[in-house]
Amino acid sequence: MAKRMAKQGEARGVDARLEEVADAFEARDFEAALTSADALLRDVPDSPEALHYRAAALVEVGRLEDAGKAYGAALKMSPEDLEILFGAAEFLVCRTGEDREAVEEGLEWCGRGRKLAQRTDDVELVYEFLLLEGMGLNQLGECESALKILDQALTHMPRSTDAQLERGIALFELCRFAPAQEAFERVLKDAPDEAWAHHYLGLVAERRQDAKEAKKRFSRAQALAPEELPPPVALEEAAFDRAVEDAMRALPSQVKQYMDNVTLAVEDLPSDEDLLGQQPPLSPCILGVFRGTPVGERSVMDAADHFPPSIVLYQKNLERFARTREELIEQIGITVMHEVGHLMGLDEDDLWERGLD
């Protein structure tokens, strides 16, 4: 009896300390939450809840490598805990930047979590996993698959502005601009201050050359989310051309021999012809494109191969991509190298492995 009461008291003590961690986290005092979680884990190292809070707090204080390890430990201890599964998946999909492998792993956790949530008939978590899966697929450029997943999410939560926004992004990336516009306008009916919906409507207006509408939408988006959507970094024409010339001069000598017959051009935005020239279509936000047949694949029997290949850089997309003048100039160089990689016959996976994606 005494032992049972002692265990009950210990459990109440752990619950109280977990509540203390939760309170600090809710108050956005993430350092305090991390300190309390660490202290609890020293006494109760097998608490998956404490590990989960520790992982989430580590994300918020920017210690992403440690957060990944903490999520791994929490999942090892409690592999079917839906909250931990969702936290780990969200971390991998949303917090690891451009890490393709991390997003792919996050999608695996999404699939597992969704099946478990369906088994327990947790409709809200099924929706959350579907939405997160759609976001991850969009990040990987698998937008057709993202559309199917997001449509499933909307069957569970038809009024979800998050799912509708992500669905609009998938449509935009697939160059279905009219339905994308409808999706973003639908978002704004329920959430008029959704900055990303304004931003994408600006991109759609820009493509149809409605400069007034585009400016209005971009200004609204920048006012609502200045950190996420700052104004583009503009380079005057001479400076942009100089950055392109510098990038060409920096090419390895063994590559330059193939550049004699390659034309290099700068355009504002990619044309529909460039985007729809392959399936799935290219993203409207591409920074550059290679037109032609790669070295080593040309044939004297193919009439198209008698036309000189070309590389095109898209100035507005590049200026929107960068946060500073220095970053823009650097990105111009990376984009030139990326498209020259296509000239040499490298595909997207090859370029990703070389850090040129």
Side-chain angles (χ1 to χ4, degrees):
M1 180 70 175
K3 285 183 180 179
R4 191 183 312 137
M5 290 179 67
K7 285 183 179 178
Q8 289 172 348
E10 181 181 329
R12 282 196 296 271
V14 170
D15 288 344
R17 292 174 73 181
L18 278 171
E19 191 172 332
E20 178 185 320
V21 179
D23 288 344
F25 199 92
E26 289 298 318
R28 303 189 65 78
D29 190 347
F30 301 118
E31 290 288 358
L34 182 57
T35 299
S36 297
D38 282 338
L40 177 53
L41 286 164
R42 282 194 290 271
D43 296 333
V44 191
D46 59 348
S47 168
E49 297 90 351
L51 273 170
H52 186 191
Y53 273 119
R54 181 174 189 271
L58 285 165
V59 171
E60 297 297 340
V61 300
R63 292 169 55 185
L64 300 185
E65 185 176 348
D66 291 336
K69 292 176 182 176
Y71 272 123
L75 284 170
K76 187 175 181 180
M77 194 174 296
S78 190
E80 295 195 352
D81 185 305
L82 283 169
E83 296 294 338
I84 296 174
L85 268 170
F86 183 78
E90 184 179 41
F91 163 68
L92 290 167
V93 171
C94 301
R95 301 299 189 109
T96 52
E98 305 268 329
D99 190 332
R100 186 180 183 88
E101 290 180 353
V103 175
E104 289 172 345
E105 184 181 354
L107 288 174
E108 290 179 19
W109 290 122
C110 281
R112 180 176 177 179
R114 174 160 51 88
K115 289 174 184 175
L116 287 170
Q118 287 169 336
R119 200 180 304 163
T120 59
D121 202 27
D122 190 330
V123 174
E124 185 173 346
L125 263 178
V126 170
Y127 156 77
E128 293 288 354
F129 277 115
L130 285 167
L131 173 59
L132 190 58
E133 195 170 348
M135 293 169 65
L137 289 166
N138 267 346
Q139 285 189 54
L140 295 179
E142 298 175 19
C143 300
E144 285 285 5
S145 297
L147 271 181
K148 294 174 184 176
I149 290 292
L150 292 163
D151 283 341
Q152 289 182 50
L154 285 162
T155 63
H156 292 284
M157 298 283 180
R159 296 296 300 274
S160 167
T161 55
D162 290 332
Q164 194 63 251
L165 175 67
E166 204 65 36
R167 184 175 180 275
I169 292 171
L171 289 165
F172 178 83
E173 290 294 317
L174 291 165
C175 303
R176 300 175 193 172
F177 300 118
Q181 180 175 337
E182 291 174 9
F184 295 129
E185 288 173 345
R186 196 172 301 127
V187 169
L188 292 177
K189 285 182 181 178
D190 290 327
D193 289 338
E194 172 49 63
W196 283 98
H198 285 287
H199 176 74
Y200 274 97
L201 284 170
L203 294 177
V204 172
E206 186 177 62
R207 289 200 60 79
R208 66 171 185 266
Q209 299 183 333
D210 186 343
K212 183 178 179 181
E213 175 69 7
K215 182 179 180 181
K216 182 182 83 170
R217 294 295 185 180
F218 288 142
S219 296
R220 181 69 174 142
Q222 290 157 16
L224 289 166
E227 292 296 321
E228 295 179 86
L229 295 166
V233 179
L235 270 187
E236 57 276 12
E237 184 177 339
F240 197 97
D241 290 345
R242 189 161 54 249
V244 174
E245 291 166 5
D246 289 344
M248 293 293 289
R249 279 195 291 269
L251 291 172
S253 55
Q254 64 269 30
V255 173
K256 288 181 179 178
Q257 62 180 312
Y258 299 106
M259 298 298 294
D260 289 343
N261 295 320
V262 178
T263 61
L264 187 62
V266 177
E267 298 175 6
D268 279 346
L269 293 169
S271 66
D272 288 349
E273 182 182 4
D274 279 334
L275 297 179
L276 300 172
Q278 62 184 61
Q279 289 298 322
L282 297 174
S283 165
C285 298
I286 55 170
L287 307 181
V289 74
F290 168 70
R291 299 170 179 161
T293 306
V295 173
E297 297 181 22
R298 297 174 192 163
S299 169
V300 294
M301 305 299 292
D302 191 333
D305 288 350
H306 292 282
F307 293 98
S310 62
I311 290 171
V312 183
L313 303 184
Y314 299 114
Q315 184 164 349
K316 285 189 175 182
N317 285 350
L318 280 158
E319 290 177 339
R320 197 171 284 122
F321 178 89
R323 292 299 182 98
T324 65
R325 183 184 179 94
E326 293 72 24
E327 185 181 350
L328 173 56
I329 291 171
E330 179 185 14
Q331 189 57 49
I332 289 170
I334 292 171
T335 304
V336 167
M337 281 295 297
H338 180 104
E339 302 310 333
V340 169
H342 286 312
L343 167 70
M344 304 304 296
L346 300 178
D347 62 19
E348 293 297 333
D349 288 338
D350 296 326
L351 293 165
W352 175 71
E353 288 175 3
R354 290 165 169 77
L356 294 170
D357 54 329

